[in-house]
Each structure stands twice: as C-alpha cells, then as structure tokens.
Amino acid sequence: MPKQIHLAAHFPGVNNTTVWSDPEAGSHIEFSSFVKLAQTAERAKFDFFFLAEGLRLREQGGQIYDLDVVGRPDTFTVLAALAAVTTHLGLAGTINSTFNEPYEVARQFASLDHLSDGRAAWNVVTSWDAFTGENFRRGGFLAEQDRYSRATQFLETAKELFASVPAPEDFLRDPAAGTFAHKDDHFDIAGRFNVPRSPQGRPVILQAGDSDAGREFAAATADAIFSRHGTLAEGQAFYADVKGRLPRYGRERDELLVLPAATFVLGDTENEAQEKARIVRRQQVSGATAIKFLEQLWNRDLSSYDPDGPLPSVDPDVSDNHIARGRASVRMHRDPIAVATEWRARAEAEKLSIRELIIEVTGRQNFIGTPDSVATSINELVQADASDGFILVPHVTPGGLDEFAGKVVPLLQERGVFRTDYEGPTLRDHLGLRVPE
Amino acid sequence: MAQPLHLAVALDGAGWHPAAWRTAEARPAELFTAGYWADLVREAESGTLDFVTIEDSFGREARLDAVLIAARVAPLTSRIGLVPTATVTHTEPFHISKALATLDYVSTGRAGWRVQLSARPEEAAHFGRRAVPGIQEHFDEAADFVEVVRRLWDSWEDDAEIRDAATGRFIDREKLHYIDFDGKYFSVKGPSITPRPPQGQPPVTALAHADIPYAFATGSADLVYVTPAGVDDARQIVAKVSSLPHVFADLVVFLEDSEQAARDAKARLDELAGSPYTSDASIFTGTPSQLADLLLTWQEAGLTGFRLRPGRLPADLEAITRGLVPELRQRGAFRKEYEASTLRGLLGLTRPANRYRQEAPVA
C-alpha cells in the first residue's frame, strides 16, 4: 500500500498571501467564514483545520500595517465553536508559550479536547519580542536565547498536567487524583490539575520552528512539524534531517509527521493555471505592498520610490531594525547588503521593476496546474519522502479550498493515497498517532 | 400586573449541591461532554431565560474552561445569553478581552462575562507567579483588568475595516486605537487583535457580598449578583448598588411538586454529602409556584432579576423552565418569547458608543 497523504486546511492568514480584494473574499472575523472553510475541509476528509495567531498588530514605519488583512479572533474560542459544526475534523490552533502559563493553557486544551470528542491540536510557538510583550503583564521578559528553553519546559509541564489526571468518574471519586508538583528553571507550580483526562490523553502537538533549536524541539516533543520546504530537494533534506533526529529521543520515524505549508492555483489547462497564478501574484503584491517588502530589507522609508521604477541605489540600513515590527518574516535576511546587491543585479539583467522583482523573489505558489497534475505533484512529493502531506493555504477566504476539495481530493482518493472516509473519531486516529500513556 | 423579571440560571457541574453527582439520576461521566452542556443550555433557552452563567475556577474542583463551554454551545442556540466565568487574578486582560469578543462573534451578540477574582492560595500555587493580594488591592487590580478589557473592546471602531481597493488599504488605521493603559499593576498597549464585538461591550457581571465588592461592581460591571437573606436585606443591598442598571439576587433552588418533597430531596443529598449544604446565597426548597411568590415579593426591594442556582442538574433547571416560567408568565411577570437577539437587548441595554470615536468636526 502506498504512503497515505495527510492534508490540513489553513485559515487564510493576516499576510499578503490572502487576497482580500477578490470579489469572492469574505469576512475574517464573522464565524460563518470559519464554518464554511471547516465544513469544506471536513467534507473532503481533511485531517485538520488550522488557525494561526499573532498577539500584536503588525507595524511598519511606526504605523499599523494596513495593506493586508488585519484582525483575527481568539484561537481557542473559534475552535471550540467549530467543534459544534463539525464531527471529525481535527481542530488545531497556535498558542504562544511566552505570554501564557502552563496550567491555564493545559486546561484550555484539555477542555477543547473534551468538547470536541478528541480533536484538539496545539501548535506551540515562542516569541520573545518586547513589542508583543507590551500587550501583556510581564512585558518583554524573555531573552531571545531563552525562548526554546521556556517553550520546552512549558510543554513538558503541560504534558505532566495532562498525564496527571484519570478519567472523569475516577477523578470525581478520588480527591487526590490529579495532584502534581513541578519545578524547573521557568515554572514552580503544584496542586491539582482540574480537568479529567481528555479523549486523546493530550492534544496533538504541532511545531513550526525551522532553526536548529526549533527542529530539535520538534524532534523531542512534537507529533507533527510544519515547514516552509515544499519543493522536492529542500523537502527531502528537511524531512531526512528532522526524522534523523528522532532516534535520539527514542522515537520512531512515524511518530513525527512533516507537513509543509503549501499554496495552490488550479486551472482547466496548464496554461490557464499559469495565467491565473500570475494574476494572483499581482494581486498579492500590489505596488504599495512591493514598496513595503523592499523597506523590510532596506530598513528604510522608501515611500517616495515608484514601484514600477528601478530599485534604490542606496544600500540597506544595517543598524537595528526600526521599520517593521510584529511579523515573523522581518529581518530574515541575515546579510541585507548582499541580498540587495543580488536583487539589483537580477532586476537589471531581467529588466524588472521593484514590483516585478518582489513578485519574483517572494513566495510563489507551490502547486500550479490542472487538478490531475497537482494531485500527481502532491503524491510524488509524499511518496519521495519530501513530506507526509501538506497544510494547504487558500488565498481567498472562505471559499478558496472549494476547488481543491472538489477536484483534487477525488483524484488522490482514486489513486488510493488519501482516505475516502474517516477511520476513527479523533485527530490521533487521522494522523496514525498513538494515545500517550 | 407585575413588572417583568429577568431570569438567569447558574450552571455548575451536576448542580450546586456538592453531592448532586452522586444521585442515581446523575451521569457523572457525561459532565465533561459537549452534549451535556448543550442539553442544559437548550433547556434554559426553551424557557426564554435571559442568560446562563457557567461557573469556573482554577481550584481543585473538576471543571472545563467556561468560555470554551459557552463557545461550544453558541452555534447550537440562537437567543439565550452566554455568560461564562473568567478569572482576572492570574490571567491576561489581552487574552480575556479577545476571547469574550470572539464569543460575542460566534454567538452573534449573546456574550457576557462574569468577572471572578481568585483569592485562594491553592489557585495561586497552580500559577506560581504571585501571592494572593490583600482584598482592597485585589479588587483595585480587578477594576484595572476590567478597564483594560473594555478599552480593548473599543480599540477598533465599528467601521475600521474599509477594504478600500483604490488605495489598497484593508483598514483605516485612524480608527484603530492604542489603549495605552499604564496602571499600578500592569500596562497594556493595544489595540486588540480582534475587532470590536457585535454588542460593542458585552455585559460585564459580578457577584458581590460586601462593600468592597459592591464598589467594584458599581464601578466596573453592568449587572451585579447579590445574596440577600430576605426582602429587607435585599432593600439595603440594592441601595448600595442602585447606580447599576441591573441587580439580580442569587438563590439556590431545590424544586419539587410539594414543599415536603423538595425538603426531602435536599435532605437526601445532605446525607450523601455527610453534612447539610450551606451557601453564600439563600437556599429555597419548595414548589415552582411558591418560588414565584417569593421572587415577586423580593422584586419589590428593587431587584431587577434573579440568578437561580439549581441544586441538581438537570432536575431543578427543568423545574425552572417547565414550572416556574409558566407560573411567572401567567402572572404577567416574565416574557413569553424572546424580544431581542442580543444579550444587551434582552437586558434592555443599548449598544454603547465607542469611547475612542471622535465625531467629525462640524465644518
């Protein structure tokens, strides 16, 4: 039997992948949008629905960034409500380990797991910046180098709480059930965890770090890891790397799934799909957006530049970042001057304007083609161990998954690489993961 | 004809009597399922009650997170208000604000909040971050917490999302506001990540038994639950909180077809528990008709409504919706159908203006 593919639906995010100007684009806040995407994913037998989170609105040049979707609901609350309108779909959300406490988060996930009959998943993220900290009691208390140690101990503590409790009736009958005491560098807590054991034992743990520390954290603790490596070569390298770290923790290869995020554009012919993809890219990168992207590398105000003109001749400002705050991709360029030089050379050689250049160098769609060719590509990547499946990111809310669900999923099912129905009720069942002791 | 009363029910586990889960009818294994809670809230909605509250705490008693229970039942109900308990002592105002705003979205305007302080050392030990503060300081901090939550709810003006294709702007950032709260206990910058909720400000409620909490409630809440021992006591308490639009009295209720049967039912539970049940609120044992008499008498003290705590669930809830409610309706003292689609609407509260909204200057 060929390797089975896992698929998840990412609710479109607050970044320029999401095309809010599309005439079909709906609300990012009204519950009906979440219902629509989740029910589409469940009809297509997806493994889970995924909701990201950011705890401060992004800013650029000292002002709230206004060109992308802004605003999102509370992760836990939406997932709990979605449990009422779905029956099998996993419900995954990002929850930060820096601006929360283990007892509270463990209660919320155990509650969600009960209220969804075993469908909860937690994407554990860390942040450390004082910018986000300004929204919280403790401020920016955590040094960047301590974020993984806090995240690791946060998760270990939560797992201890999940493991400390028996099933509901035993919990009610035994006043001593659920008692715990935990002390480490970050947490010193004791008492009784007050949510009885949930259907999955604990939520499925997801992790998205790409750094060496992030990969190690995932290998040690996660059930699945997100990645940005959706191509064959990069995917295989990442896959081999993280799976290779598992034996160190006494874990088997199938105990950590690798699930890259992926975008897609479908057409009736290859040419039509390519043409649609080109249009989507232009929607995603407007002239104004291109200037903002350029500012993030240049670390300067470039608002006077014409997006249809050439790149700035001035070099990036390599002092501390003061342009863009609160976004994950900020300053991922470790050597801005070298990147700028490379971009200028490319723009000159290919006669690209600022906007055209940004369209070329920022994220392209992963899968572009007919339903048949996209199904083939996805399956080849999974069978070649470049991934165990994909987190699909539609670019239109909430209907952006409809075409994939209606046209690509049946082809994967025909080829025997994707389920035609759910085999069990819990997310662990869908992902082939054991219930922890 | 009596003035219409407002009625809420306080849901907690198998009922407020600590032995309620031990009775033959109780199904303790189901207390942690969505179906159990959905059945209770639908029952309350069938009686056109204003809202349900859902108890919660960080203490040792087994409980699911109340905000998540409310969110889970929101799509299964359409009119009844959903008022979960959320604790302010060990939590982040930023998280609580967006959670309640989101509950308001998923329930299309039916969210409320019961503010709770956590004073027990055992709860503080679950967080390991701080000792329990002194009482005045504790309530001062709670007032700051509610202020921050309210400011965050207003930190987006209602029409901040513009989706202006011509300029490429999704929002008008002039309509988003830093709240810049800088208090004695914490500071919060804002704005919220979640737009202003449908009700603008979901109703804030608090239980109070003494002067410091009364002052907290009048300064921070829209509705206060009080625990009078009788009608005279109620009159004295109402005088202290009369600036609030709503004062509800809490009552624990055991309801049967005869007064004797109700007393017997409570006595059986007391026996299972090993001691007589006592409560901060008055305990009523009797028939739905007797309870209607009592509520209408107490109402004369200036109470606008009652929050009934069923001793046993679902038995005493069903006695409320199927016994008490018809009795009150017959006396013209309770609604026959829902007259509004939001919780503020049911409570007769208008949608408040946004504190950050600046009217355009007159030319």
Side-chain angles (χ1 to χ4, degrees):
Chain A
M1 182 158 142
K3 208 174 145 189
Q4 294 295 298
I5 296 170
H6 297 283
L7 293 175
H10 189 309
F11 191 83
V14 295
N15 51 53
N16 76 309
T17 302
T18 305
V19 180
W20 56 260
S21 57
D22 189 291
E24 299 290 311
S27 173
H28 277 250
I29 297 295
E30 300 297 332
F31 185 52
S32 55
S33 290
F34 297 88
V35 175
K36 157 84 178 159
L37 182 63
Q39 291 185 339
T40 301
E42 183 162 86
R43 272 195 300 275
K45 314 300 177 193
F46 272 41
D47 293 67
F48 60 93
F49 171 95
F50 175 73
L51 196 55
E53 182 180 72
L55 295 172
R56 178 139 183 203
L57 300 183
R58 289 155 40 196
E59 291 185 6
Q60 189 154 338
Q63 290 185 301
I64 291 170
Y65 193 83
D66 60 2
L67 300 179
D68 295 339
V69 169
V70 182
R72 42 175 140 212
D74 178 66
T75 303
F76 279 122
T77 312
V78 166
L79 295 179
L82 284 176
V85 295
T86 54
T87 56
H88 287 75
L89 186 68
L91 300 167
T94 297
I95 292 294
N96 192 292
S97 61
T98 306
F99 300 110
N100 284 293
E101 293 299 325
Y103 190 88
E104 187 185 13
V105 167
R107 280 195 82 225
Q108 289 168 311
F109 271 113
S111 297
L112 179 63
D113 205 42
H114 278 288
L115 294 168
S116 64
D117 299 315
R119 297 187 279 140
W122 174 13
N123 178 36
V124 187
V125 300
T126 71
S127 60
W128 72 95
D129 58 301
F131 177 72
T132 303
E134 285 180 345
N135 280 335
F136 296 95
R137 287 177 186 255
R138 295 177 82 179
F141 71 98
L142 194 64
E144 178 173 359
Q145 66 270 19
D146 293 334
R147 64 196 183 114
Y148 275 108
S149 93
R150 179 169 166 108
T152 303
Q153 293 182 356
F154 192 110
L155 184 54
E156 282 309 307
T157 308
K159 284 182 174 178
E160 211 174 298
L161 298 177
F162 294 132
S164 71
V165 286
E169 277 190 83
D170 296 330
F171 189 103
L172 290 171
R173 289 179 205 290
D174 177 6
T179 52
F180 70 91
H182 178 101
K183 187 168 167 46
D184 60 34
D185 298 342
H186 295 274
F187 308 104
D188 182 2
I189 63 175
R192 188 191 199 201
F193 186 55
N194 71 0
V195 180
R197 185 174 170 86
S198 71
Q200 292 191 104
R202 60 168 167 78
V204 169
I205 304 298
L206 311 174
Q207 221 279 315
D210 197 37
S211 63
D212 186 66
R215 293 178 187 201
E216 204 63 25
F217 177 47
T221 62
D223 299 308
I225 182 167
F226 294 175
S227 87
R228 291 183 285 111
H229 308 292
T231 62
L232 180 63
E234 281 185 19
Q236 284 178 323
F238 181 82
Y239 193 94
D241 179 87
V242 294
K243 299 252 178 179
R245 295 172 191 246
L246 293 171
R248 246 176 270 172
Y249 302 98
R251 305 181 71 199
E252 303 287 333
R253 274 176 74 81
D254 58 1
E255 289 182 69
L256 176 67
L257 302 175
V258 176
L259 303 173
T263 53
F264 57 90
V265 178
L266 300 171
D268 291 338
T269 66
E270 294 298 327
N271 282 343
E272 186 194 306
Q274 289 294 342
E275 176 57 18
K276 277 168 72 178
R278 198 186 64 78
I279 293 167
V280 170
R281 286 303 291 151
R282 289 188 65 80
Q283 291 174 318
Q284 290 171 330
V285 185
S286 67
T289 297
I291 294 293
K292 295 294 183 190
F293 265 96
L294 208 61
E295 287 184 344
Q296 288 163 27
L297 177 66
W298 255 258
N299 198 25
R300 291 178 187 279
D301 178 356
L302 301 175
S303 54
S304 62
Y305 282 78
D306 176 3
D308 296 320
L311 270 69
S313 51
V314 61
D315 272 335
D317 176 354
V318 293
S319 67
D320 285 352
N321 166 43
H322 47 81
I323 281 286
R325 304 204 291 176
R327 65 156 78 218
S329 60
V330 170
R331 308 287 279 164
M332 33 189 263
H333 312 291
R334 292 296 171 190
D335 186 353
I337 293 190
V339 176
T341 306
E342 186 193 316
W343 284 7
R344 275 197 213 103
R346 181 167 177 188
E348 207 158 306
E350 299 177 26
K351 305 218 175 332
L352 302 177
S353 67
I354 289 174
R355 184 180 180 195
E356 289 164 338
L357 185 274
I358 294 295
I359 286 174
E360 291 301 315
V361 298
T362 57
R364 303 180 63 82
Q365 295 93 347
N366 297 75
F367 300 110
I368 304 170
T370 63
D372 186 76
S373 70
V374 167
T376 300
S377 300
I378 288 175
N379 190 34
E380 281 174 359
L381 287 166
V382 171
Q383 303 307 331
D385 281 351
S387 85
D388 293 311
F390 291 91
I391 316 267
L392 295 170
V393 189
H395 63 265
V396 176
T397 308
L401 193 65
D402 293 359
E403 202 181 358
F404 187 97
K407 294 179 177 171
V408 181
V409 168
L411 295 174
L412 295 172
Q413 289 168 330
E414 272 173 30
R415 295 169 199 189
V417 291
F418 190 65
R419 70 176 69 83
T420 53
D421 205 351
Y422 292 107
E423 284 161 25
T426 72
L427 178 54
R428 283 185 186 278
D429 293 329
H430 312 336
L431 295 174
L433 300 168
R434 286 184 293 274
V435 174
E437 291 301 309
Chain B
M1 180 76 110
Q3 277 286 93
L5 279 176
H6 294 277
L7 270 189
V9 162
L11 301 178
D12 189 19
W16 283 71
H17 197 291
W21 65 274
R22 296 171 186 268
T23 62
E25 312 84 68
R27 294 169 298 181
E30 293 177 27
L31 295 178
F32 304 95
T33 65
Y36 175 78
W37 292 95
D39 286 348
L40 294 180
V41 180
R42 280 191 285 232
E43 179 67 33
E45 189 172 63
S46 75
T48 64
L49 302 191
D50 291 75
F51 61 91
V52 294
T53 61
I54 303 168
E55 296 301 304
D56 201 0
S57 89
F58 295 124
R60 299 174 61 87
E61 315 82 7
R63 285 196 175 94
L64 298 181
D65 182 277
V67 173
L68 299 187
I69 292 174
R72 178 64 176 78
V73 299
L76 307 176
T77 53
S78 60
R79 291 305 185 99
I80 192 163
L82 302 167
V83 184
T85 297
T87 299
V88 300
T89 309
H90 303 289
T91 55
E92 291 286 353
F94 194 84
H95 290 319
I96 300 275
S97 177
K98 68 181 161 57
L100 293 166
T102 303
L103 179 63
D104 209 35
Y105 278 104
V106 303
S107 66
T108 54
R110 294 182 289 127
W113 176 22
R114 183 165 98 76
V115 181
Q116 178 159 281
L117 284 69
S118 157
R120 293 189 289 184
E122 74 185 44
E123 298 188 31
H126 289 153
F127 288 82
R129 287 266 304 275
R130 60 189 298 193
V132 176
I135 180 163
Q136 185 65 58
E137 188 185 358
H138 201 175
F139 276 92
D140 288 347
E141 185 193 316
D144 281 0
F145 194 112
V146 176
E147 172 69 14
V148 168
V149 168
R150 287 187 178 282
R151 287 194 196 179
L152 287 168
W153 284 338
D154 276 355
S155 64
W156 291 55
E157 293 183 34
D158 292 318
D159 52 357
E161 184 178 315
I162 52 172
R163 299 194 184 222
D164 183 40
T167 59
R169 293 177 307 147
F170 184 79
I171 48 157
D172 176 355
R173 62 180 161 224
E174 300 302 317
K175 294 184 173 178
L176 265 57
H177 302 276
Y178 295 105
I179 69 162
D180 283 322
F181 183 87
D182 192 7
K184 186 173 166 194
Y185 308 97
F186 46 77
S187 57
V188 175
K189 180 78 180 172
S192 179
I193 57 168
T194 307
R196 193 171 192 236
Q199 294 181 100
Q201 295 272 320
V204 176
T205 74
L207 173 64
H209 306 93
D211 285 343
I212 291 174
Y214 292 149
F216 164 71
T218 53
S220 298
D222 302 291
L223 184 158
V224 62
Y225 313 106
V226 297
T227 53
V231 68
D232 291 335
D233 191 26
R235 197 166 283 118
Q236 288 179 18
I237 294 171
V238 167
K240 295 181 182 183
V241 292
S242 59
S243 62
L244 285 173
H246 281 289
V247 184
F248 280 30
D250 270 21
L251 280 170
V252 183
V253 297
F254 296 86
L255 299 169
E256 292 287 347
D257 291 339
S258 75
E259 194 176 334
Q260 191 57 47
R263 283 189 191 150
D264 292 347
K266 176 174 176 292
R268 274 195 302 279
L269 289 172
D270 287 347
E271 200 174 323
L272 277 172
S275 62
Y277 175 55
T278 59
S279 170
D280 56 325
S282 294
I283 299 173
F284 175 87
T285 49
T287 68
S289 169
Q290 289 173 320
L291 179 58
D293 294 340
L294 181 133
L295 299 188
L296 294 176
T297 307
W298 282 30
Q299 184 189 16
E300 290 165 15
L303 298 165
T304 58
F306 294 87
R307 184 176 74 143
L308 304 178
R309 307 180 187 175
R312 307 157 295 173
L313 285 169
D316 292 309
L317 170 62
E318 289 168 1
I320 291 165
T321 52
R322 301 170 195 191
L324 174 69
V325 165
E327 188 73 37
L328 288 171
R329 282 177 181 161
Q330 215 167 43
R331 305 184 195 189
F334 194 63
R335 70 169 67 82
K336 292 190 167 67
E337 55 188 37
Y338 283 113
E339 71 278 14
S341 59
T342 67
L343 177 55
R344 290 191 77 92
L346 293 176
L347 293 172
L349 304 172
T350 55
R351 191 173 189 276
N354 189 322
R355 72 195 64 201
Y356 296 110
R357 174 125 191 142
Q358 297 210 334
E359 295 308 324
V362 180

